[in-house]
């Protein structure tokens, strides 16, 4: 079974958590695109969505789903997003699509964070297969990179990428994250870092994994 089919399975399984007349939190990325397509099939049952990226906002509008600002809502019942990696403790690395800051903002509004992934995203230790993205204010790029080298990482500037917030991305390679909560805090305390792609302080509540045997729900 191909990866796209497994992503679609996970995305469609997430529809069971969508409440009638609610505003749904929506992340970004290829798996979330599958969720937006699935959400369109029940768009008449919901009020609309709050999203974490301009790309997802465009797709939602194309599907006829009203998009609200984060400033329009005080909370969300659910937030549905993918991950680049997720560990058994439901902590994640996100930011492959450079939307990590806005994803953290929308996730913080949600009562329940539902992470939809295919089985290739499951790891025991974060940083095992995917670089850790960090959103950085442009003037601080070099000094932040030096701090990351001192912490044992190998940062690379993601050339040609500007986030929806007007910032740049550094990807840290060779950086296995043994204590995600403490590392998330430490990296966020570096001057010039907007946020990093570790989602440990606010991890997922439910994981839906697309597998060759169907969607598997982990609570």
């Amino acid at each position: 079974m191909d990866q796209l089919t497994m992503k679609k399975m996970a995305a469609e399984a997430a529809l069971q958590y969508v409440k009638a007349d609610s505003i749904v939190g929506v992340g970004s990325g290829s798996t979330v695109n599958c969720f937006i397509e699935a959400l369109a099939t029940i768009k008449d049952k919901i009020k609309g969505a709050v999203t974490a990226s301009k790309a997802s906002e465009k797709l939602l509008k194309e599907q006829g789903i009203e998009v609200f600002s984060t400033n329009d809502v005080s909370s969300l019942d659910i937030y549905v997003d993918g991950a680049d990696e997720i560990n058994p403790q439901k902590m994640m690395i996100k930011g492959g699509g450079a939307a990590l800051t806005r994803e953290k903002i929308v996730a913080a509004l949600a009562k329940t964070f539902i992470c939809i992934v295919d089985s290739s995203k499951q790891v025991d230790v974060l940083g095992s297969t995917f670089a850790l993205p960090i959103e950085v204010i442009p003037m601080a790029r070099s000094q932040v990179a030096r701090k990351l080298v001192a912490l044992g990482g190998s940062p690379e500037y993601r050339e040609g990428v500007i986030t929806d917030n007007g910032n740049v991305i550094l990807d840290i390679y060779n950086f296995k994250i043994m204590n995600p909560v403490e590392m998330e805090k430490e990296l966020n305390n570096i001057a010039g870092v907007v946020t990093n792609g570790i989602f440990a302080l606010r991890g997922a509540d439910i994981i839906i994994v697309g597998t060759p045997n169907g969607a598997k729900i982990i609570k």
Side-chain angles (χ1 to χ4, degrees), residues 34-186:
C34 296
F35 175 69
I36 292 172
E37 290 175 7
L39 191 63
T41 65
I42 59 166
K43 64 184 177 184
D44 294 336
K45 298 179 181 178
I46 62 172
K47 290 181 180 177
V50 168
T51 184
S53 76
K54 291 178 181 178
S56 290
E57 179 178 351
K58 181 176 182 288
L59 187 55
L60 284 160
K61 287 180 177 178
E62 287 173 354
Q63 296 285 357
I65 298 170
E66 186 173 357
V67 177
F68 294 86
S69 162
T70 51
N71 294 316
D72 295 330
V73 299
S74 57
S75 67
L76 298 166
D77 286 320
I78 63 168
Y79 174 60
V80 180
D81 203 355
D84 300 306
E85 288 185 344
I86 189 162
N87 70 11
Q89 292 75 44
K90 303 186 182 72
M91 300 172 180
M92 296 157 280
I93 283 182
K94 294 175 49 54
L100 57 160
T101 300
R102 294 188 178 205
E103 288 169 348
K104 282 193 176 181
I105 291 167
V106 183
L109 284 167
K111 297 171 185 173
T112 302
F113 185 152
I114 301 167
C115 182
I116 53 174
V117 292
D118 63 84
S119 54
S120 71
K121 303 299 194 297
Q122 292 177 290
V123 298
D124 291 324
V125 178
L126 295 180
S128 298
T129 63
F130 201 86
L132 173 65
I134 298 185
E135 183 166 348
V136 179
I137 293 170
M139 67 176 287
R141 175 168 61 90
S142 293
Q143 71 185 76
V144 170
R146 289 192 290 271
K147 294 277 189 182
L148 299 175
V149 170
L151 289 171
S154 301
E156 288 187 13
Y157 172 42
R158 198 186 295 181
E159 292 192 38
V161 173
I162 301 295
T163 72
D164 286 348
N165 310 310
N167 298 312
V168 298
I169 297 288
L170 291 174
D171 292 307
I172 315 178
Y173 291 86
N174 308 317
F175 203 61
K176 289 193 176 181
I177 302 158
M178 306 310 295
N179 191 329
V181 170
E182 291 307 313
M183 185 55 69
E184 183 177 357
K185 292 177 183 176
E186 183 173 0

Side-chain angles (χ1 to χ4, degrees), residues 6-24:
M6 290 190 284
K7 288 179 179 183
K8 287 182 175 180
M9 283 180 177
E12 289 166 4
L15 289 181
Q16 65 188 283
Y17 295 99
V18 176
K19 295 181 180 179
D21 298 318
S22 68
I23 297 175
V24 182

